[in-house]
């Protein structure tokens, strides 16, 4: 799977984990030069507290476009530190 923003691959892996229709990419598959930590957080009733990254590619920013769980619930432990995308990031094979 590939995650693409502004025509640049920002993550790529054959080992994503699919939860609720979202592909969660392992942390080592991210090209971290395109990610900046965000202060934004959200809560999922069964996964826990999500933290976010904004994605920046060639001067274009997609705020809070990637999320991950630093300390997921026991039910979601398999996605600890894995990153999923939404908004302007396209995920495909």
């Amino acid at each position: 799977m590939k995650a693409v923003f502004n025509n640049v691959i920002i993550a790529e892996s054959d080992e994503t984990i699919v939860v609720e229709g979202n592909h969660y990419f392992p942390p080592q598959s991210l090209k971290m030069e395109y990610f900046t930590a965000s202060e934004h957080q959200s809560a999922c009733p069964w996964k826990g507290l999500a933290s976010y990254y904004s994605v920046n590619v060639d001067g274009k920013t997609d705020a809070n476009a990637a999320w991950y769980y630093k300390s997921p619930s026991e039910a979601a432990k398999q996605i600890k530190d894995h990153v999923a995308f939404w908004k302007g990031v396209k995920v495909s094979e």
Side-chain angles (χ1 to χ4, degrees):
M1 298 300 296
K2 295 178 186 174
V4 176
F5 177 68
N6 202 21
N7 297 315
V8 173
I9 297 171
I10 59 172
E12 187 170 16
S13 177
D14 292 329
E15 299 177 8
T16 62
I17 299 170
V18 179
V19 176
E20 295 181 326
N22 295 303
H23 284 267
Y24 283 80
F25 287 73
Q28 66 273 17
S29 71
L30 275 63
K31 297 181 180 180
M32 289 306 297
E33 65 268 26
Y34 299 120
F35 295 81
T36 54
S38 168
E39 295 296 318
H40 186 70
Q41 294 185 321
S42 64
C44 172
W46 74 272
K47 291 186 295 260
L49 187 65
S51 296
Y52 287 75
Y53 290 116
S54 291
V55 178
N56 310 284
V57 176
D58 296 332
K60 187 172 181 185
T61 300
D62 196 354
N64 306 319
W67 74 92
Y68 62 99
Y69 295 88
K70 289 188 252 186
S71 300
S73 68
E74 184 66 21
K77 66 183 179 184
Q78 75 276 16
I79 59 168
K80 178 178 176 17
D81 295 327
H82 284 55
V83 177
F85 300 95
W86 70 316
K87 297 170 89 176
V89 178
K90 305 273 189 274
V91 175
S92 61
E93 290 187 49

